[in-house]
PDB file of all heavy atoms in Angstrom:
ATOM      1  N   LEU A 194       3.467  12.914  18.992  1.00 98.00           N
ATOM      2  CA  LEU A 194       2.977  12.365  17.800  1.00 98.00           C
ATOM      3  C   LEU A 194       3.776  12.699  16.498  1.00 98.00           C
ATOM      4  O   LEU A 194       4.156  11.840  15.801  1.00 98.00           O
ATOM      5  CB  LEU A 194       1.507  12.793  17.578  1.00 98.00           C
ATOM      6  CG  LEU A 194       0.700  12.115  16.491  1.00 98.00           C
ATOM      7  CD1 LEU A 194      -0.780  12.224  16.832  1.00 98.00           C
ATOM      8  CD2 LEU A 194       0.945  12.607  15.181  1.00 98.00           C
ATOM      9  N   PRO A 195       4.104  13.993  16.300  1.00 97.00           N
ATOM     10  CA  PRO A 195       4.840  14.289  15.064  1.00 97.00           C
ATOM     11  C   PRO A 195       6.202  13.596  14.961  1.00 97.00           C
ATOM     12  O   PRO A 195       6.558  13.073  13.917  1.00 97.00           O
ATOM     13  CB  PRO A 195       5.007  15.844  15.052  1.00 97.00           C
ATOM     14  CG  PRO A 195       3.807  16.288  15.943  1.00 97.00           C
ATOM     15  CD  PRO A 195       3.658  15.270  17.016  1.00 97.00           C
ATOM     16  N   ALA A 196       6.928  13.640  16.069  1.00 97.00           N
ATOM     17  CA  ALA A 196       8.238  12.984  16.023  1.00 97.00           C
ATOM     18  C   ALA A 196       8.249  11.529  15.839  1.00 97.00           C
ATOM     19  O   ALA A 196       9.002  10.862  15.204  1.00 97.00           O
ATOM     20  CB  ALA A 196       9.016  13.315  17.282  1.00 97.00           C
ATOM     21  N   LEU A 197       7.133  10.854  16.395  1.00 98.00           N
ATOM     22  CA  LEU A 197       6.956   9.525  16.263  1.00 98.00           C
ATOM     23  C   LEU A 197       6.626   9.092  14.833  1.00 98.00           C
ATOM     24  O   LEU A 197       7.095   8.147  14.314  1.00 98.00           O
ATOM     25  CB  LEU A 197       5.862   9.011  17.247  1.00 98.00           C
ATOM     26  CG  LEU A 197       5.577   7.533  17.228  1.00 98.00           C
ATOM     27  CD1 LEU A 197       6.791   6.614  17.592  1.00 98.00           C
ATOM     28  CD2 LEU A 197       4.381   7.180  18.167  1.00 98.00           C
ATOM     29  N   ALA A 198       5.711   9.836  14.265  1.00 98.00           N
ATOM     30  CA  ALA A 198       5.372   9.584  12.877  1.00 98.00           C
ATOM     31  C   ALA A 198       6.626   9.732  11.922  1.00 98.00           C
ATOM     32  O   ALA A 198       6.846   8.914  11.096  1.00 98.00           O
ATOM     33  CB  ALA A 198       4.262  10.615  12.396  1.00 98.00           C
ATOM     34  N   LYS A 199       7.397  10.769  12.168  1.00 97.00           N
ATOM     35  CA  LYS A 199       8.585  10.992  11.330  1.00 97.00           C
ATOM     36  C   LYS A 199       9.563   9.822  11.517  1.00 97.00           C
ATOM     37  O   LYS A 199      10.128   9.368  10.605  1.00 97.00           O
ATOM     38  CB  LYS A 199       9.261  12.289  11.657  1.00 97.00           C
ATOM     39  CG  LYS A 199      10.402  12.614  10.771  1.00 97.00           C
ATOM     40  CD  LYS A 199      10.893  14.032  10.982  1.00 97.00           C
ATOM     41  CE  LYS A 199      12.187  14.347  10.173  1.00 97.00           C
ATOM     42  NZ  LYS A 199      11.865  14.277   8.712  1.00 97.00           N
ATOM     43  N   LYS A 200       9.700   9.482  12.746  1.00 97.00           N
ATOM     44  CA  LYS A 200      10.583   8.278  13.113  1.00 97.00           C
ATOM     45  C   LYS A 200      10.181   6.993  12.353  1.00 97.00           C
ATOM     46  O   LYS A 200      11.059   6.339  11.740  1.00 97.00           O
ATOM     47  CB  LYS A 200      10.606   8.085  14.584  1.00 97.00           C
ATOM     48  CG  LYS A 200      11.574   6.932  14.974  1.00 97.00           C
ATOM     49  CD  LYS A 200      11.611   6.807  16.489  1.00 97.00           C
ATOM     50  CE  LYS A 200      12.502   5.575  16.884  1.00 97.00           C
ATOM     51  NZ  LYS A 200      12.527   5.492  18.407  1.00 97.00           N
ATOM     52  N   LEU A 201       8.987   6.713  12.281  1.00 97.00           N
ATOM     53  CA  LEU A 201       8.582   5.544  11.665  1.00 97.00           C
ATOM     54  C   LEU A 201       8.667   5.564  10.183  1.00 97.00           C
ATOM     55  O   LEU A 201       9.312   4.574   9.593  1.00 97.00           O
ATOM     56  CB  LEU A 201       7.030   5.313  11.825  1.00 97.00           C
ATOM     57  CG  LEU A 201       6.524   4.842  13.305  1.00 97.00           C
ATOM     58  CD1 LEU A 201       5.019   4.671  13.371  1.00 97.00           C
ATOM     59  CD2 LEU A 201       7.282   3.543  13.754  1.00 97.00           C
ATOM     60  N   LEU A 202       8.374   6.674   9.531  1.00 97.00           N
ATOM     61  CA  LEU A 202       8.599   6.811   8.096  1.00 97.00           C
ATOM     62  C   LEU A 202      10.116   6.813   7.684  1.00 97.00           C
ATOM     63  O   LEU A 202      10.485   6.187   6.687  1.00 97.00           O
ATOM     64  CB  LEU A 202       7.846   8.016   7.482  1.00 97.00           C
ATOM     65  CG  LEU A 202       6.436   7.685   6.967  1.00 97.00           C
ATOM     66  CD1 LEU A 202       5.478   7.394   8.197  1.00 97.00           C
ATOM     67  CD2 LEU A 202       5.990   8.807   6.116  1.00 97.00           C
ATOM     68  N   GLU A 203      10.922   7.496   8.466  1.00 96.00           N
ATOM     69  CA  GLU A 203      12.332   7.589   8.225  1.00 96.00           C
ATOM     70  C   GLU A 203      12.977   6.162   8.367  1.00 96.00           C
ATOM     71  O   GLU A 203      13.868   5.770   7.649  1.00 96.00           O
ATOM     72  CB  GLU A 203      13.018   8.562   9.078  1.00 96.00           C
ATOM     73  CG  GLU A 203      12.827   9.934   8.647  1.00 96.00           C
ATOM     74  CD  GLU A 203      13.630  10.978   9.348  1.00 96.00           C
ATOM     75  OE1 GLU A 203      14.121  10.663  10.512  1.00 96.00           O
ATOM     76  OE2 GLU A 203      13.975  12.105   8.809  1.00 96.00           O
ATOM     77  N   ALA A 204      12.439   5.429   9.342  1.00 96.00           N
ATOM     78  CA  ALA A 204      13.150   4.080   9.590  1.00 96.00           C
ATOM     79  C   ALA A 204      12.772   3.088   8.416  1.00 96.00           C
ATOM     80  O   ALA A 204      13.479   2.101   8.265  1.00 96.00           O
ATOM     81  CB  ALA A 204      12.528   3.569  10.906  1.00 96.00           C
ATOM     82  N   ASN A 205      11.685   3.427   7.725  1.00 96.00           N
ATOM     83  CA  ASN A 205      11.307   2.486   6.630  1.00 96.00           C
ATOM     84  C   ASN A 205      11.595   2.926   5.203  1.00 96.00           C
ATOM     85  O   ASN A 205      11.325   2.175   4.315  1.00 96.00           O
ATOM     86  CB  ASN A 205       9.784   2.182   6.839  1.00 96.00           C
ATOM     87  CG  ASN A 205       9.461   1.247   8.017  1.00 96.00           C
ATOM     88  OD1 ASN A 205       9.708   0.069   7.951  1.00 96.00           O
ATOM     89  ND2 ASN A 205       9.047   1.891   9.118  1.00 96.00           N
ATOM     90  N   ARG A 206      11.938   4.159   5.060  1.00 95.00           N
ATOM     91  CA  ARG A 206      12.118   4.646   3.702  1.00 95.00           C
ATOM     92  C   ARG A 206      13.184   3.854   2.860  1.00 95.00           C
ATOM     93  O   ARG A 206      13.195   3.965   1.646  1.00 95.00           O
ATOM     94  CB  ARG A 206      12.364   6.168   3.670  1.00 95.00           C
ATOM     95  CG  ARG A 206      13.727   6.559   4.202  1.00 95.00           C
ATOM     96  CD  ARG A 206      13.853   8.062   4.134  1.00 95.00           C
ATOM     97  NE  ARG A 206      15.227   8.429   4.571  1.00 95.00           N
ATOM     98  CZ  ARG A 206      15.636   9.710   4.715  1.00 95.00           C
ATOM     99  NH1 ARG A 206      14.670  10.678   4.467  1.00 95.00           N
ATOM    100  NH2 ARG A 206      16.740  10.070   5.035  1.00 95.00           N
ATOM    101  N   ASP A 207      14.125   3.317   3.526  1.00 93.00           N
ATOM    102  CA  ASP A 207      15.238   2.554   2.801  1.00 93.00           C
ATOM    103  C   ASP A 207      14.996   1.106   2.873  1.00 93.00           C
ATOM    104  O   ASP A 207      15.926   0.299   2.418  1.00 93.00           O
ATOM    105  CB  ASP A 207      16.529   2.894   3.421  1.00 93.00           C
ATOM    106  CG  ASP A 207      16.904   4.374   3.287  1.00 93.00           C
ATOM    107  OD1 ASP A 207      16.752   4.863   2.152  1.00 93.00           O
ATOM    108  OD2 ASP A 207      17.499   4.975   4.203  1.00 93.00           O
ATOM    109  N   HIS A 208      13.816   0.641   3.273  1.00 92.00           N
ATOM    110  CA  HIS A 208      13.560  -0.863   3.324  1.00 92.00           C
ATOM    111  C   HIS A 208      12.300  -1.231   2.596  1.00 92.00           C
ATOM    112  O   HIS A 208      11.310  -0.664   2.709  1.00 92.00           O
ATOM    113  CB  HIS A 208      13.425  -1.247   4.866  1.00 92.00           C
ATOM    114  CG  HIS A 208      14.648  -0.868   5.631  1.00 92.00           C
ATOM    115  ND1 HIS A 208      15.837  -1.569   5.583  1.00 92.00           N
ATOM    116  CD2 HIS A 208      14.791   0.131   6.507  1.00 92.00           C
ATOM    117  CE1 HIS A 208      16.724  -0.976   6.447  1.00 92.00           C
ATOM    118  NE2 HIS A 208      16.184  -0.013   7.029  1.00 92.00           N
ATOM    119  N   PRO A 209      12.461  -2.343   1.792  1.00 88.00           N
ATOM    120  CA  PRO A 209      11.346  -2.736   1.046  1.00 88.00           C
ATOM    121  C   PRO A 209      10.170  -3.302   1.898  1.00 88.00           C
ATOM    122  O   PRO A 209       8.930  -3.262   1.435  1.00 88.00           O
ATOM    123  CB  PRO A 209      11.838  -3.873   0.078  1.00 88.00           C
ATOM    124  CG  PRO A 209      13.056  -4.351   0.801  1.00 88.00           C
ATOM    125  CD  PRO A 209      13.627  -3.202   1.539  1.00 88.00           C
ATOM    126  N   VAL A 210      10.470  -3.855   3.053  1.00 93.00           N
ATOM    127  CA  VAL A 210       9.422  -4.354   3.949  1.00 93.00           C
ATOM    128  C   VAL A 210       9.288  -3.507   5.122  1.00 93.00           C
ATOM    129  O   VAL A 210      10.213  -3.225   5.843  1.00 93.00           O
ATOM    130  CB  VAL A 210       9.812  -5.772   4.465  1.00 93.00           C
ATOM    131  CG1 VAL A 210       8.723  -6.316   5.298  1.00 93.00           C
ATOM    132  CG2 VAL A 210       9.966  -6.798   3.202  1.00 93.00           C
ATOM    133  N   ARG A 211       7.956  -3.015   5.222  1.00 95.00           N
ATOM    134  CA  ARG A 211       7.734  -1.999   6.293  1.00 95.00           C
ATOM    135  C   ARG A 211       7.743  -2.670   7.705  1.00 95.00           C
ATOM    136  O   ARG A 211       7.147  -3.767   7.800  1.00 95.00           O
ATOM    137  CB  ARG A 211       6.429  -1.409   6.032  1.00 95.00           C
ATOM    138  CG  ARG A 211       6.027  -0.250   6.885  1.00 95.00           C
ATOM    139  CD  ARG A 211       4.637   0.344   6.427  1.00 95.00           C
ATOM    140  NE  ARG A 211       4.857   1.078   5.183  1.00 95.00           N
ATOM    141  CZ  ARG A 211       3.948   1.035   4.251  1.00 95.00           C
ATOM    142  NH1 ARG A 211       2.844   0.274   4.362  1.00 95.00           N
ATOM    143  NH2 ARG A 211       4.127   1.703   3.044  1.00 95.00           N
ATOM    144  N   ASN A 212       8.351  -2.033   8.665  1.00 97.00           N
ATOM    145  CA  ASN A 212       8.497  -2.723   9.984  1.00 97.00           C
ATOM    146  C   ASN A 212       8.274  -1.608  11.054  1.00 97.00           C
ATOM    147  O   ASN A 212       9.024  -0.577  11.021  1.00 97.00           O
ATOM    148  CB  ASN A 212       9.777  -3.413  10.194  1.00 97.00           C
ATOM    149  CG  ASN A 212       9.938  -4.056  11.532  1.00 97.00           C
ATOM    150  OD1 ASN A 212       9.920  -3.423  12.560  1.00 97.00           O
ATOM    151  ND2 ASN A 212      10.086  -5.401  11.488  1.00 97.00           N
ATOM    152  N   THR A 213       7.363  -1.686  11.904  1.00 97.00           N
ATOM    153  CA  THR A 213       7.144  -0.738  13.022  1.00 97.00           C
ATOM    154  C   THR A 213       7.408  -1.358  14.424  1.00 97.00           C
ATOM    155  O   THR A 213       7.444  -0.559  15.441  1.00 97.00           O
ATOM    156  CB  THR A 213       5.708  -0.218  13.010  1.00 97.00           C
ATOM    157  OG1 THR A 213       4.794  -1.383  13.321  1.00 97.00           O
ATOM    158  CG2 THR A 213       5.369   0.401  11.685  1.00 97.00           C
ATOM    159  N   THR A 214       7.723  -2.589  14.494  1.00 97.00           N
ATOM    160  CA  THR A 214       7.928  -3.267  15.765  1.00 97.00           C
ATOM    161  C   THR A 214       9.401  -3.362  16.173  1.00 97.00           C
ATOM    162  O   THR A 214       9.749  -3.533  17.419  1.00 97.00           O
ATOM    163  CB  THR A 214       7.355  -4.669  15.715  1.00 97.00           C
ATOM    164  OG1 THR A 214       8.105  -5.511  14.826  1.00 97.00           O
ATOM    165  CG2 THR A 214       5.906  -4.615  15.275  1.00 97.00           C
ATOM    166  N   GLY A 215      10.273  -3.371  15.219  1.00 94.00           N
ATOM    167  CA  GLY A 215      11.706  -3.602  15.501  1.00 94.00           C
ATOM    168  C   GLY A 215      11.934  -5.118  15.681  1.00 94.00           C
ATOM    169  O   GLY A 215      13.068  -5.497  16.027  1.00 94.00           O
ATOM    170  N   ARG A 216      11.016  -5.923  15.395  1.00 94.00           N
ATOM    171  CA  ARG A 216      11.168  -7.401  15.517  1.00 94.00           C
ATOM    172  C   ARG A 216      11.283  -8.029  14.136  1.00 94.00           C
ATOM    173  O   ARG A 216      10.787  -7.524  13.137  1.00 94.00           O
ATOM    174  CB  ARG A 216      10.012  -8.008  16.255  1.00 94.00           C
ATOM    175  CG  ARG A 216       9.871  -7.528  17.669  1.00 94.00           C
ATOM    176  CD  ARG A 216       8.561  -7.988  18.288  1.00 94.00           C
ATOM    177  NE  ARG A 216       8.210  -9.475  18.139  1.00 94.00           N
ATOM    178  CZ  ARG A 216       7.248 -10.112  18.705  1.00 94.00           C
ATOM    179  NH1 ARG A 216       6.538  -9.490  19.690  1.00 94.00           N
ATOM    180  NH2 ARG A 216       7.047 -11.342  18.488  1.00 94.00           N
TER     181      ARG A 216
END
Side-chain angles (χ1 to χ4, degrees):
L194 190 159
L197 180 59
K199 183 174 179 61
K200 180 180 179 180
L201 288 181
L202 267 72
E203 282 191 334
N205 284 284
R206 69 180 183 183
D207 294 317
H208 303 285
V210 178
R211 189 176 290 140
N212 184 296
T213 61
T214 65
R216 296 171 48 168

